[in-house]
Amino acid sequence: TGRSSKGMPYLRTLALSGNRIKETLAATRGGLVDTKFADRLTLKRFTTGCGWIADHPDPKERAAMWAYWRRHLHECLLPTLESRGLLAAWYRLVTATGDARTVYRLTRIATRITDALSLFDKLEARLAAKRH
């Protein structure tokens, strides 16, 4: 299907499936690696939704989808993020001030910077190893 056919029902399905994936990962083992992966996946799915919203051709539906998606982030996703404090704060900040297209760009950059193999995670792993 093309992006133009992805409307509000598709966005709701994306939100529900993201919640299910996170719940399943949390129930399987619940370790720190699983939590970080689930939190990262949650934020990446939100970013993907921003891209779909930004490309939607109908401005009225796009505005409704963006309002729903921001509400979903602030009410459902951000309160459950356990391991991504700084990244979650970034999502909170950029969604408060931007439209879907801007948020899509800014969150894609943030998720690339905080990739599991990024400098930040390597540094965090070294610090944790030194503490133990």
Side-chain angles (χ1 to χ4, degrees), residues 63-125:
M65 290 168 63
W66 180 231
Y68 168 79
W69 205 229
R70 285 179 61 211
R71 193 170 47 255
H72 173 67
L73 174 74
H74 289 273
E75 293 175 3
C76 302
L77 302 181
L78 290 176
T80 67
L81 295 175
E82 299 172 25
S83 69
R84 293 290 177 175
L86 186 59
L87 190 58
W90 177 251
Y91 273 72
R92 185 176 284 116
L93 176 69
V94 299
T95 55
T97 60
D99 63 0
R101 187 171 309 284
T102 303
V103 171
Y104 176 64
R105 289 182 186 133
L106 292 173
T107 55
R108 278 190 61 199
I109 292 167
T111 54
R112 285 183 186 160
I113 290 170
T114 60
D115 187 273
L117 300 176
S118 74
L119 175 64
F120 294 115
D121 284 335
K122 288 177 185 176
L123 184 61
E124 184 180 314

Side-chain angles (χ1 to χ4, degrees), residues 11 17 20 22-23 30 35 49 61 81 87 100 102 106 115 119:
L11 199 59
S17 67
R20 297 269 185 199
K22 187 166 181 167
E23 289 168 6
T35 301
E61 189 172 3
L81 295 175
L87 190 58
T102 303
L106 292 173
D115 187 273
L119 175 64

